[in-house]
Amino acid sequence: MDRQKTYDAGVSGDEGLRCARCGEPLVLSPVTFTYLGHAFPVELPACEACGLVFVPEELAKGRILHVERSLEDK
Amino acid sequence: MEKTAVAPSEQPRAANRVISGTRSVCPVCLEVIDARYVARGERIYMEKQCKKHGAFTALVWEGAEEFERLVRAGEGQPCPSGPQHCIGCRQHAQKTCCVLLEVSDRCNLSCPVCFAGSSEAVATPDPSLATIAGWYDMLMQNGGPFNIQLSGGEPTMRDDLPEVIRLGLERGFSFFQLNTNGLRLAQEPDYVQRLAQAGLNTVFLQFDGIRDTTYEAIRGRPLFDEKVRAIAHCRQAGLGVVLVPTVAKGVNDHELGDIVAFAKGQMPHVRGVHFQPMSFFGRYQEDLADSGRLTIPALLRALEQQSRGEIKKGDFSPANTEHPLCSFHADYLLEEGRFVLQPSCESACCCSVPSDQARRVVARKWSAPEVYAPTPPEEGSLYRADALDAFLQQRAEVERRQFALSGMAFQDAFNLDLNRLGRCYIAEVSPDGHLVPFCAYNLTGTDHAGFYRGVK
């Protein structure tokens, strides 16, 4: 048996997230994470007015953490 | 009369050239005495003289230039106190990294060769869970957490070994390695599952060769089929396995290529091979000692020859944390059925990087590789992270093709160098809960008695 690592596919988008700074609705927008010389283009909810990006907790504690550790351990 | 640890055919003949001096012990009385490394041609010997027991010579290395380079790289002061004074000593030059817990003195084999001198006849009671919990607490108070090696004796003699792992996890330890002959793992797949579920990371499986004649010589009976079954059960439980051959000159040093080829066929769950050239401590057969010592360069040359050049002696890097004469390693990637050398990464050593990262690196290197299986994003998902998935998937695939070859030459009373001992980063916990460097803990004189196992 292989050990499997699974992650959530993401919470539903119809929760009506709004920007804490300007109150505008967040819309799925292209965002690039960079870490230790690597770039990862993703799509995240962002405020079109001020550019604030929302990073869901399960993404931060799941895929992003795993990628960071992989790069650190390389 | 000069006593010697090398075969008559290896008796030094060429003119002496003294390379450096250090401190060692008399193999008979284990008193600390001066020693020196002497080159005779390409062969390097340790020479020393005990006032009571005479002169001793032991082959240490083959390749004078390389030896001198490694000795310079490992330059330092010999441990000032000696191997009998490790408990409570604050002068050890190296931080501990890996710790062996001898959780049972019992064993289901009585190998002719055993550094711990264990056997089926041992009646010493196993340390209780409360005692082991105390060891873990002591380790946390002394720089822990460390990588834990569950050892013995044969640690799988304990039914409650999963509980021993859980105790460690509860106290903050995160990496557990099982040093085992694999007999119980071969017989009881349920036991293997329980160990995996408890949090075991990897199995260091005693694996001396692919022929039963080898096991008969080193372990006293044929064992190859049981080794194969043990590996299968580890694979089923999702455990990584590292094959650990004890290599004795003239017994199984012709099987090194076969062992690596076998390991390659068992990838990805078999993560590598860790060679241990035989040392003469604990219980060993005098005739093996007489047949001479297998040096690291000779082992690596044999590996190159027997792998038909797929693995090269020059692939290997010496240790940079423990003394460079003590260990060697090389990392490979399997590409189209052949091993391709990967750039030497110092994080291969678990001591050269910060400890959390170190334990993670070791855990990943020796544990079974993950299969990366992200749930595909659904319609209306709050984010899309395909690039992260692609990276992690590729990393997991690479991990399945990674393979490590390494080895460590333990010291014995014939070749003990107190400079090397001061750099030792593997420690054993003594029964009364003290940390002792591995090669001091297991050191025995020609009477097979030592300082720390309650004999001397």
Side-chain angles (χ1 to χ4, degrees), chain B residues 242-265:
Chain B
V242 176
L243 306 185
V244 186
T246 299
V247 187
K249 194 171 179 178
V251 176
N252 60 344
D253 55 342
H254 60 289
E255 273 189 77
L256 311 181
D258 290 338
I259 292 169
V260 172
F262 174 86
K264 187 198 269 183

Side-chain angles (χ1 to χ4, degrees), chain B residues 40-341:
Chain B
R40 294 186 172 105
E42 286 300 309
R43 290 190 162 194
I44 313 296
Y45 296 85
M46 174 179 274
E47 290 184 351
K48 52 194 173 182
Q49 181 136 16
C50 172
K51 283 180 185 160
K52 288 185 207 154
H53 300 104
F56 298 88
T57 302
L59 179 66
V60 174
W61 204 262
E62 287 148 290
E65 191 186 326
E66 182 182 52
F67 181 82
E68 288 182 66
R69 183 162 40 82
L70 294 177
V71 163
R72 274 198 303 277
E75 214 156 46
Q77 291 301 312
C79 145
S81 24
Q84 67 271 52
H85 300 300
C86 291
I87 290 176
C89 174
R90 299 282 169 214
Q91 302 189 71
H92 196 63
Q94 177 63 46
K95 199 172 162 239
T96 296
C97 170
C98 312
V99 174
L100 272 85
L101 302 184
E102 297 199 351
V103 296
S104 178
D105 279 343
R106 296 178 291 145
C107 191
N108 44 8
L109 284 177
S110 296
C111 304
V113 169
C114 179
F115 69 78
S118 302
S119 78
E120 291 162 295
V122 168
T124 319
D126 294 343
S128 67
L129 288 174
T131 299
I132 294 172
W135 292 348
Y136 282 130
D137 291 339
M138 177 277 291
L139 293 176
M140 287 306 273
Q141 285 157 16
N142 285 277
F146 306 111
N147 290 338
I148 297 296
Q149 298 187 23
L150 301 167
S151 194
E154 171 53 47
T156 64
M157 298 298 282
R158 290 184 78 118
D159 291 334
D160 63 354
L161 197 56
E163 194 52 38
V164 171
I165 295 170
R166 278 189 210 102
L167 278 180
L169 279 170
E170 283 165 16
R171 283 163 173 76
F173 295 85
S174 59
F175 180 81
F176 297 87
Q177 168 186 318
L178 174 63
N179 298 343
T180 179
N181 60 29
L183 296 194
R184 188 164 183 189
L185 308 189
Q187 287 152 9
E188 294 181 44
D190 290 352
Y191 183 72
V192 185
Q193 293 283 353
R194 286 203 289 131
L195 291 171
Q197 282 157 13
L200 182 66
N201 295 86
T202 191
V203 171
F204 260 47
L205 179 67
Q206 180 191 86
F207 189 95
D208 304 317
I210 60 163
R211 293 175 184 85
D212 275 336
T213 47
T214 298
Y215 290 101
E216 283 161 5
I218 302 183
R219 306 296 166 193
R221 70 175 173 94
L223 290 171
F224 180 67
D225 289 347
E226 283 168 278
K227 304 290 178 183
V228 173
R229 272 202 299 282
I231 293 169
H233 293 158
C234 289
R235 180 170 54 241
Q236 285 158 14
L239 285 171
V241 178
V242 176
L243 306 185
V244 186
T246 299
V247 187
K249 194 171 179 178
V251 176
N252 60 344
D253 55 342
H254 60 289
E255 273 189 77
L256 311 181
D258 290 338
I259 292 169
V260 172
F262 174 86
K264 187 198 269 183
Q266 298 285 326
M267 287 174 69
H269 284 84
V270 169
R271 308 295 286 146
V273 181
H274 184 76
F275 294 101
Q276 294 178 342
M278 192 170 155
S279 302
F280 302 104
F281 52 18
R283 185 168 62 238
Y284 57 89
Q285 288 171 304
E286 306 298 338
D287 59 337
L288 289 180
D290 289 344
S291 67
R293 186 180 294 275
L294 184 68
T295 63
I296 288 177
L299 186 152
L300 296 181
R301 270 200 311 275
L303 196 53
E304 176 169 338
Q305 199 174 29
Q306 292 166 28
S307 70
R308 297 183 183 84
E310 183 175 351
I311 293 152
K312 293 186 170 54
K313 179 175 179 291
D315 293 348
F316 290 86
S317 305
N320 73 334
T321 311
E322 71 267 34
H323 195 283
L325 294 176
C326 291
S327 71
F328 55 91
H329 66 270
D331 294 320
Y332 296 90
L333 199 63
L334 189 64
E335 288 184 4
E336 294 175 358
R338 283 184 72 80
F339 287 131
V340 177
L341 181 67

Side-chain angles (χ1 to χ4, degrees), chain A residues 1-14 17 28 33 38 40-45 54 56 58-59 63-64 66-67 69-74, chain B residues 235-239 269 345 347 357 360-361 364 367-378 380-389 391-392 395 400:
Chain A
M1 187 189 77
D2 288 314
R3 290 181 310 142
Q4 292 211 344
K5 195 142 221 158
T6 56
Y7 296 102
D8 294 339
V11 294
S12 165
D14 54 12
L17 286 172
L28 205 58
F33 287 120
H38 287 68
F40 302 93
V42 297
E43 289 181 58
L44 290 175
F54 174 67
E58 81 273 5
L59 180 65
R63 289 169 168 88
I64 292 174
H66 197 179
V67 167
R69 285 184 168 172
S70 289
L71 290 170
E72 288 163 8
D73 296 349
K74 199 174 176 182
Chain B
R235 180 170 54 241
Q236 285 158 14
L239 285 171
H269 284 84
C345 174
S347 61
Q357 191 185 348
R360 226 158 60 212
V361 169
R364 214 185 59 209
S367 303
E370 288 172 348
V371 173
Y372 185 67
T375 312
E378 293 164 9
S381 172
L382 194 58
Y383 59 84
R384 291 190 65 86
D386 299 356
L388 300 177
D389 286 336
F391 173 85
L392 291 172
R395 178 56 63 96
R400 295 175 75 80

